[in-house]
Amino acid sequence: MEFALALPREAPSIPVVRRVVGDALRGLGVAEDCVADILVAASEACTNVVQHARATGDYRIAGRVDDGTCLLEIEDGGHGPRPVPRDPGVLSESGRGIKIMRALVDDLDIDRTPDRGTIVHLRKRLTWRDGALVGRLDRRLMHSAG
């Protein structure tokens, strides 16, 4: 499954991301605790775009579920790299979103390029509910390939 969204750089877009991504993952049969982790991490990345990106216009989110993994890419379309604070300190409000994202996903990468701005890559190995659609499809494919 793959999807892509282009949304205005405004706070009301963040619940839209949560709804679309959450519904897609739940529809495939991803376990609710795994969905929750992905949605919080994605919300943090989108909030950073809305609050801190130096670009104007839309931002983009691309998602893919493949081989039991969810990969989300949040791209701000900015005009260039912007440094991330190394360790802002325990009491600082800045930089906490990155720590939250790191705690909730298996891999977090942040790329900064002059032509695409900042791209946050979130990757999480998925856990499934019993009877998940993906599990049923995998069994049928294995049987038919057999």
Side-chain angles (χ1 to χ4, degrees):
M1 178 191 76
E2 293 185 23
F3 64 89
L5 302 169
L7 297 163
R9 190 172 281 109
E10 298 172 5
S13 69
I14 298 168
V16 173
V17 170
R18 292 178 62 87
R19 179 63 175 246
V20 170
V21 174
D23 286 353
L25 293 173
R26 287 182 191 102
L28 290 173
V30 175
E32 191 58 39
D33 60 335
C34 188
V35 172
D37 287 351
I38 293 167
L39 293 182
V40 171
S43 295
E44 288 294 333
C46 293
T47 298
N48 284 344
V49 169
V50 168
Q51 292 181 349
H52 304 297
R54 294 185 289 178
T56 58
D58 293 346
Y59 68 103
R60 288 166 294 289
I61 299 165
R64 181 173 69 242
V65 173
D66 188 27
D67 197 27
T69 300
C70 177
L71 173 65
L72 295 178
E73 295 180 345
I74 297 91
E75 179 181 338
D76 71 12
H79 301 293
R82 181 177 179 177
V84 173
R86 292 273 181 221
D87 188 5
V90 175
L91 298 178
S92 174
E93 289 192 27
S94 178
R96 279 195 270 173
I98 293 171
K99 290 180 180 181
I100 290 169
M101 287 185 279
R102 279 194 205 286
L104 295 173
V105 299
D106 298 315
D107 294 306
L108 167 69
D109 292 312
I110 302 172
D111 295 329
R112 291 173 183 78
T113 60
D115 59 331
R116 293 177 67 192
T118 301
I119 306 168
V120 175
H121 304 270
L122 305 169
R123 183 181 327 258
K124 180 150 179 95
R125 171 107 8 234
L126 299 173
T127 55
W128 305 98
R129 293 188 321 255
D130 290 338
L133 171 64
V134 170
R136 291 193 313 265
L137 287 174
D138 284 348
R139 282 192 294 277
R140 272 191 271 166
L141 291 173
M142 287 185 343
H143 177 71
S144 65

